[in-house]
Amino acid sequence: MNSAIDTTVIFIFSAFVLGIGLLFARTGRNLKSFFAGGEAVPWFIGGLSLFMSFFSAGTFVAWGSIAYQHGWVAVTIQWTMCIGALATGLWLAPRWKATGNLTAAEFIRDRLGERVQKLYIFIFTLVSIFIKGSVLYPVAKLVSVSLGFPLVESTIVLGLFMIAYTAVGGLWAVMVTDILQFVILTAAVLILLPLALNRAGGFEAFTQRVPADFFDLLHGEYTLGFVLAFILYHVAYIGGNWTFVQRYTSVDSPRSARKVAFLFAGLYLVAPVIWMLPPMLYRSIDPGLLGLDTENAYLKICQLVLPPGLLGLMLTGMYFSTSASANTALNVVSAVFTNDIYKGFFAPKASDKQLIRVARLSSWAFGLGMIGIALLVPAAGGIVNVVLSISAISGGPLLAPPLWALFSKRLDGRTTLWITLIGLTVNLFFKVFSPWLFDVKLSRAAENAVGIGLPLLLLAGYELYARSREKTAAEYPAYLAAQQERRTTSNEQQTTESLEARKQNRFGLRVIAGSLVFVAVMLAGLSALATSGRGITALLAAVVLAGAWIPWRAARRVRVGSTGSHQVQKIVATKH
């Protein structure tokens, strides 16, 4: 590996991405534009951003480790995300957009009350910091191992860069980075795959050197029960995680929100197959990795076959995909703190300028917490154990009740609190205390079944009880009134905000087009330096360059002149 060339590629891309964040520093005029893109983000941008927000270097490290050890089951596990997104697109995403709320926390306050909102804000913030901090660790480990930098210093520097980018640019900056990293990672993996297959001696040699059950859909502790429970979990997670809800509320209509989820589902049907093959191929080349060393399988195949510069490209994609995931979480946690805590409880009449300042400062505070968690991951047993454990404990109790409230007029705040606390207590007991006190440890399948199944069972039981008593939640009439008031206020503000949103959209699309041209130029330059894979790298450069025309054409179709403003005024007048 030529570390000088790879390091240069990483620094060039990093500087370019930070420049994008600075470009968007002037576009966040108020909370809606900073956190929700003016609620007019194009659905295909939102869908790609959602996909990359779900994605991180943890995908390469955690699922790459499973792919190396157990084979195809790593793809099966990720297909549960596709099914979860399909269910979200059919039923949940349109519902979130129809609420008219800016954040999930705002919906919880309106529908279930402030007590529930306060508890959920505390738990969500804590869980987000833990999960996103844990996924910062693997990319720091990748950079540290591949380029020879110290792990602790790599974690801190990469974390600070991530925070600075989010605090400066807001949602549109995060989404442009998402699109950029989607292109970079896709290009890098498409270059890696044929080189890895060739190094393995071809497909037939690969299949002969791996275990006989390597291509089974299920394997070991990843049983049918685990997969079914994981499907239910991902319906709740993709449909109810506050980070992803922001993608559904930032588009212009329930129909667009549905398209966001469906695009995510389509990408997660295809992407796992492409992305999990390299570590599977490495198993046939070097079957000797054990324990936490299996987390390095993806990096090792990259180091083995990628020519100078392209390893830097791959590492850049891995880092910024992790950064995109963490950036989205930071954006949402900051939105919840600024909109629902600072503005909601302490400064209801704060100016837009003051709120934006609080939003940026809170991004730094929460980001520093993520860095601290990332530094503790090795002591917790590695990335796979951390992510699955946090998901099993918090996923069902935290996500299921608000999703149920989207459809039910009977669920009230008091019941929600009890169901959430019972679910968290039971999950924490079986995960932490039961193995210690009674030497009883649940399997992965049982963990997920209890984690998501118990809250659903309790919610269904209460729904039947309330229906038999013809009982409606005390908070429900106030929620309907708040919805109506929000629609009226939104219509009155629509003229100015719609014009500003269209300007922001046009600017964002132009930046995406320019970013794709930059990526194409970088790929073309790397193809000239490549000692292998030169042809496919040059071909992908041409494809990316041609693809830049799509957002550029979309930007030209965005109308921001006086005609567009008159049309909005006409629509508002008609509604009144």
Side-chain angles (χ1 to χ4, degrees), residues 25 84 158 202 432 472 489:
L158 293 174
V432 178
T472 299
T489 304

Side-chain angles (χ1 to χ4, degrees), residues 315-331:
L315 289 172
T316 301
M318 288 182 178
Y319 166 64
F320 281 111
S321 65
T322 302
S323 179
S325 175
N327 283 345
T328 301
L330 272 180
N331 189 262

Side-chain angles (χ1 to χ4, degrees), residues 105 108-109 113-121 340 345:
I108 291 170
R109 182 196 64 203
E114 287 189 0
R115 283 196 310 164
V116 179
Q117 185 201 39
K118 288 178 181 178
L119 175 67
Y120 270 58
I121 285 174
D340 302 299
F345 298 121

Side-chain angles (χ1 to χ4, degrees), residues 246-262:
Q246 187 190 39
R247 295 298 184 265
Y248 313 136
T249 61
S250 63
V251 293
D252 62 351
S253 68
R255 183 181 180 186
S256 294
R258 177 177 281 117
K259 290 179 179 179
V260 168
F262 284 162

Side-chain angles (χ1 to χ4, degrees), residues 499 502 506 558-566:
L499 178 61
R502 289 199 304 274
R506 185 176 67 174
V558 176
R559 302 174 66 182
V560 296
S562 58
T563 302
S565 178
H566 291 320

Side-chain angles (χ1 to χ4, degrees), residues 209-327:
R209 293 174 185 166
V210 295
D213 59 357
F214 206 60
F215 292 94
D216 289 354
L217 292 176
L218 305 171
H219 192 282
E221 63 180 340
Y222 305 106
T223 62
L224 179 61
F226 172 87
V227 170
L228 293 176
F230 223 40
I231 289 173
L232 289 176
Y233 168 76
H234 277 115
V235 171
Y237 189 69
I238 298 170
N241 183 279
W242 295 7
T243 301
F244 306 143
V245 168
Q246 187 190 39
R247 295 298 184 265
Y248 313 136
T249 61
S250 63
V251 293
D252 62 351
S253 68
R255 183 181 180 186
S256 294
R258 177 177 281 117
K259 290 179 179 179
V260 168
F262 284 162
L263 178 56
F264 175 94
L267 290 171
Y268 249 107
L269 179 64
V270 178
V273 179
I274 300 172
W275 280 332
M276 290 300 102
L277 278 175
M280 291 171 66
L281 286 164
Y282 190 70
R283 175 65 180 269
S284 69
I285 299 170
D286 178 10
L289 298 183
L290 298 172
L292 291 181
D293 286 341
T294 60
E295 294 183 349
N296 295 328
Y298 223 111
L299 174 61
K300 287 184 175 296
I301 188 64
C302 291
Q303 290 177 317
L304 186 64
V305 303
L306 287 178
L310 290 179
L311 177 59
L313 180 72
M314 189 73 182
L315 289 172
T316 301
M318 288 182 178
Y319 166 64
F320 281 111
S321 65
T322 302
S323 179
S325 175
N327 283 345

Side-chain angles (χ1 to χ4, degrees), residues 359-406:
R360 287 174 172 150
L361 289 174
S362 63
S363 292
W364 277 98
F366 291 123
L368 291 173
M370 290 182 182
I371 294 174
I373 295 300
L375 296 173
L376 298 175
V377 168
I383 180 68
V384 175
N385 191 56
V386 170
V387 172
L388 291 180
S389 296
I390 294 174
S391 300
I393 292 171
S394 65
L398 192 62
L399 301 175
L403 289 175
W404 197 279
L406 283 173

